[in-house]
């Protein structure tokens, strides 16, 4: 009789352990399924946000393709705070940037006001380069103010770093570039660099090409902090000029001084939002 009761007690313990194991497995399986479902939902939301961001690029690229001359708009064709546009179950917001503008009414050698098509997103005071070839007819000028369509308080024939220019007559349609200043010493070689530092200028694109003393330099990214821009992913010697040393204080101009004209390029940056998911996409468009 005692052995039978002991066996029954033992079996009861085994059954209880089995129940505990089964319940634990059920809880673990439920958590696994829940986490998997959550992860799947996050993945789907992330893919939807990426689709929205890329759709924004396609939408904006089509809009720009309908504009015959990007640099002759009398107002900035891109609002400073673009509105979000609904698509499906989310939205996309596209910000666009042009690296230059154009002379609107001619710029005689003695003029102190430079009339352009738009000054949007240029700094309120700074340095400009008028015309592509800084070794020829190109000129550096400084300005102290802006209106919607002109740079005022212009001082002509400026020397920037070691680059000296002469005042000239610039025709309607000549390209006007923003100029910033190099803050990193660059040796006379073609070695790629992790980064270089320049003064902040909101007209520079998030990635692209720079001209420093005739050398074309590619960069893959840009961050801004404390009045400086850190350009990353630097690849040197992209043009005919190679093995040039650049000192702090030299002028830096965006794409593509001395080469293909920048008035065929625009940078598009799109943000897609689907629920709590955000994705970003960027494209430089050539017309």
């Amino acid at each position: 009789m005692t052995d039978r009761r002991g066996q029954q007690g033992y079996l009861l313990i085994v059954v209880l352990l089995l129940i505990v194991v089964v319940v634990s497995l059920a809880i673990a399986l439920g958590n696994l399924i829940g986490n998997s479902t959550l992860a799947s939902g996050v993945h789907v939301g992330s893919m939807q946000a990426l689709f929205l961001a890329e759709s924004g690029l396609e939408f904006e690229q089509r809009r720009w393709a309908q504009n015959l001359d990007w640099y002759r708009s009398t107002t900035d064709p891109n609002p400073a705070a673009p509105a979000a546009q609904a698509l499906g179950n989310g939205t996309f917001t596209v910000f666009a940037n042009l690296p230059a503008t154009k002379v609107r009414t001619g710029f005689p050698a003695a003029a102190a006001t430079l009339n352009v098509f738009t000054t949007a997103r240029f700094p309120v005071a700074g340095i400009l380069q008028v015309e592509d070839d800084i070794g020829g007819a190109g000129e550096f000028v400084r300005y102290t103010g802006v209106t919607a369509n002109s740079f005022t308080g212009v001082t002509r024939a400026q020397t920037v770093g070691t680059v000296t220019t002469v005042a000239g007559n610039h025709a309607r349609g000549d390209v006007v570039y923003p100029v910033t200043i190099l803050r990193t010493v660059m040796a006379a070689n073609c070695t790629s660099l992790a980064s270089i530092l320049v003064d902040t200028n909101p007209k520079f694109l998030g990635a692209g090409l720079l001209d420093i003393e005739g050398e074309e330099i590619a960069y893959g990214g840009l961050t801004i902090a404390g009045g400086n821009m850190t350009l990353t992913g630097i690849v040197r010697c992209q043009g005919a000029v190679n093995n040039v040393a650049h000192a702090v204080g030299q002028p830096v101009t965006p794409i593509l001084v001395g080469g293909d004209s920048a008035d065929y390029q625009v940078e598009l940056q799109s943000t897609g939002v689907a629920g709590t998911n955000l994705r970003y996409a960027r494209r430089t468009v050539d017309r």
Side-chain angles (χ1 to χ4, degrees):
M1 183 69 66
T2 304
D3 291 341
R4 183 176 298 174
R5 289 178 179 176
Q7 290 175 357
Q8 289 176 344
Y10 174 76
L11 290 174
L12 180 60
I13 293 173
V14 171
V15 170
L16 290 174
L17 288 175
L18 287 174
I19 292 172
V20 170
V21 170
V22 170
V23 170
S24 298
L25 288 174
I27 293 173
L29 182 61
N31 288 335
L32 181 62
I33 293 172
N35 291 336
S36 176
T37 302
L38 178 62
S40 177
V42 170
H43 178 70
V44 170
S46 179
M47 293 302 295
Q48 289 176 338
L50 179 60
F51 170 78
L52 288 163
E54 292 178 342
S55 297
L57 292 181
E58 295 297 327
F59 175 86
E60 194 70 3
Q61 184 169 341
R62 179 180 180 276
R63 187 175 75 85
W64 280 87
Q66 296 171 338
N67 187 337
L68 297 179
D69 194 334
W70 299 344
Y71 288 79
R72 290 182 184 271
S73 175
T74 55
T75 58
D76 188 354
N78 314 283
Q85 301 194 54
L87 178 64
N89 294 324
T91 63
F92 63 79
T93 305
V94 186
F95 172 84
N97 193 14
L98 298 169
T101 186
K102 286 185 176 182
V103 177
R104 182 164 53 91
T105 60
F107 188 41
T113 298
L114 172 55
N115 297 313
V116 295
F117 285 90
T118 179
T119 61
R121 284 193 292 277
F122 279 87
V124 295
I127 308 170
L128 304 169
Q129 177 177 322
V130 186
E131 292 198 36
D132 285 338
D133 187 5
I134 203 64
E139 178 184 355
F140 287 136
V141 302
R142 295 181 186 270
Y143 66 98
T144 59
V146 296
T147 67
N149 305 108
S150 65
F151 297 98
T152 59
V154 173
T155 306
R156 307 295 299 272
Q158 292 294 286
T159 296
V160 182
T162 59
V163 182
T164 300
T165 60
V166 177
N169 296 311
H170 305 288
R172 173 183 168 89
D174 284 345
V175 180
V176 179
Y177 296 92
V179 178
T180 191
I181 303 299
L182 181 66
R183 299 302 177 189
T184 300
V185 175
M186 302 179 70
N189 58 52
C190 290
T191 303
S192 298
L193 302 173
S195 65
I196 60 174
L197 200 66
V198 300
D199 291 348
T200 295
N201 191 309
K203 286 298 288 185
F204 278 69
L205 304 184
L209 285 172
L210 302 172
D211 181 277
I212 306 177
E213 297 183 277
E215 180 187 351
E216 284 193 4
I217 298 172
Y219 64 103
L222 179 156
T223 57
I224 298 176
N228 293 316
M229 296 190 300
T230 300
L231 310 179
T232 56
I234 304 299
V235 181
R236 300 191 59 182
C237 304
Q238 297 297 288
V241 177
N242 300 321
N243 299 316
V244 177
H246 306 295
V248 170
Q250 292 300 103
V252 180
T253 310
I255 52 174
L256 292 168
V257 178
D260 297 331
S261 176
D263 61 354
Y264 295 104
Q265 297 188 339
V266 61
E267 180 182 53
L268 308 178
Q269 299 181 57
S270 179
T271 302
V273 179
T276 60
N277 298 280
L278 277 74
R279 294 293 296 270
Y280 304 94
R282 175 192 169 278
R283 182 182 300 169
T284 299
V285 179
D286 297 338
R287 181 169 58 81

